Amino acid sequence: MWGVIATWEMAAEGVHLASEKLKNGASAADALQVAIEDVENNPEFQSVGFGGLPNEAGIVEMDAAFMNGNTFAVGAVAGITDGKNPIAVARKLSSETFNSFLVGAGATAYAKNNNFKMQNMLTDDAAKKWQERVKEVAKNNLSPYDGHDTVGVVTLSGDAMTCGTSTSGLFMKKPGRVGDSPLAGSGFYVDSQVGGACATGLGEDLMKGVLSFAIVEKMRAGLTPQEACDTVVYDFSEKLAKAYGKSGAMSLIAMDHQGNWGVATNVEFTFCVATKNLAPTVYLANPGANGTTVIQAITTK
Ligand code: ASP
């Protein structure tokens, strides 16, 4: 069996490319990297990689992670700048015994020293949006943080699973701010014998629930990916609503080791899936009644 599931419609082309690779016997890790790099490389996607929206100081700081579900190896970067493909750096770091999670200048230096492609990640378009936002926020006292998304991907190839994430985090975040995306358990988790999960949404809230790990553990206990996502996401979102009066946006995707998949979300959410039995498809998900999720296909490739 093979399969790939990814957060957001922006991953449609990446999922298509990954599915072609998986069909031809590529490893779960190679397919995952292809899917995420496609999103990182596209300047039209303003929350990941090149073209990502910058922090308060006008600098694009990116977070990414890679996990191997056979060995549980994790590699991650947070606050990396100028690295063209943070997911590639994270994947390489997953082979390090020590120093496998690097932040800021250390992460950027590692990328440079290991000959990863470096480039200025701030596009003219993103710089313009930042200048406008700085003015708007000063004038109207607005919350600056609208505009964020993470590409999160889970892949399955035979007996092997991987997962990974990449994001420029919250637009206008404080320099040094890190969300859930590079944190194992919160932004992602995978065990090849069970399945994997990834998150997107407000990192500050996602981190409170360690939701990706929670979903994998529910699948381990026998729930389907859809049941696991529904149980974990809606229970936790409700807990936050009780504690704070509201919950931040949270959308989780999951795939099990047989290629079954599920998602749950407390906001409108798009995602992409392809498996041996399913042509690449983009879906729209919304929270439904009584802790369920309403899912409809919006495109098929
Ligand atoms: N979870 C990411 C973060 O908080 C952003 C997102 O996925 O929307 O950095």
Side-chain angles (χ1 to χ4, degrees):
M1 187 55 167
W2 59 262
V4 47
I5 184 167
T7 55
W8 301 114
E9 189 170 7
M10 65 181 165
E13 183 56 25
V15 163
H16 175 67
L17 295 172
S19 72
E20 289 299 314
K21 288 222 140 222
L22 289 165
K23 214 184 278 174
N24 292 316
S27 69
D30 285 347
L32 178 123
Q33 189 171 340
V34 161
I36 294 186
E37 285 192 352
D38 181 75
V39 182
E40 289 179 337
N41 291 342
N42 191 329
E44 277 172 24
F45 303 140
Q46 301 212 313
S47 57
V48 178
F50 185 53
L53 291 169
N55 68 12
E56 201 182 57
I59 296 166
V60 183
E61 286 185 331
M62 299 164 291
D63 305 333
F66 172 87
M67 183 165 185
N68 178 326
N70 286 0
T71 60
F72 307 104
V74 172
V77 288
I80 191 172
T81 55
D82 301 328
K84 182 169 183 278
N85 291 111
I87 188 63
V89 182
R91 182 179 175 187
K92 166 95 169 97
L93 282 166
S94 73
S95 64
E96 305 279 358
T97 308
F98 300 108
N99 307 302
S100 54
F101 187 174
L102 297 177
V103 305
T108 307
Y110 178 90
K112 258 187 221 151
N113 295 339
N114 285 276
N115 302 316
F116 285 98
K117 195 154 182 223
M118 307 303 286
Q119 69 179 41
N120 180 8
M121 300 298 277
L122 185 67
T123 57
D124 291 347
D125 205 34
K128 207 168 136 217
K129 286 224 161 54
W130 173 74
Q131 277 158 0
E132 281 163 10
R133 196 70 184 154
V134 169
K135 275 192 226 140
E136 272 169 24
V137 169
K139 205 164 91 194
N140 302 325
N141 208 12
L142 294 171
S143 162
Y145 300 119
D146 297 338
H148 53 86
D149 284 334
T150 299
V151 59
V153 178
V154 181
T155 53
L156 161 71
S157 180
D159 291 338
M161 295 191 79
T162 61
C163 68
T165 57
S166 185
T167 185
S168 50
L170 298 191
F171 182 26
M172 299 284 284
K173 64 190 177 184
K174 296 282 178 208
R177 178 266 183 194
V178 178
D180 59 300
S181 306
L183 293 186
S186 282
F188 62 95
Y189 199 79
V190 64
D191 177 337
S192 297
Q193 297 200 340
V194 178
C198 287
T200 179
L202 183 65
E204 283 73 1
D205 275 359
L206 284 161
M207 285 190 278
K208 294 175 177 124
V210 200
L211 299 182
S212 294
F213 183 70
I215 287 172
V216 172
E217 291 309 297
K218 289 285 181 199
M219 291 194 285
R220 192 190 306 281
L223 271 62
T224 65
Q226 187 57 50
E227 289 164 351
C229 287
D230 285 345
T231 306
V232 166
V233 172
Y234 299 124
D235 278 3
F236 194 67
S237 181
E238 215 168 278
K239 276 189 189 162
L240 290 182
K242 272 200 192 114
Y244 296 94
K246 64 176 185 232
S247 164
M250 45 182 70
S251 308
L252 276 285
I253 57 169
M255 181 171 277
D256 72 13
H257 67 114
Q258 295 172 318
N260 304 304
W261 51 271
V263 307
T265 180
N266 63 3
V267 292
E268 186 172 289
F269 171 59
T270 54
F271 65 100
C272 311
V273 191
T275 70
K276 195 174 173 197
N277 308 324
L278 173 73
T281 305
V282 181
Y283 292 92
L284 175 68
N286 274 288
N290 306 320
T292 59
T293 307
V294 180
I295 297 171
Q296 68 191 99
I298 51 177
T299 70
T300 310
K301 259 211 163 191

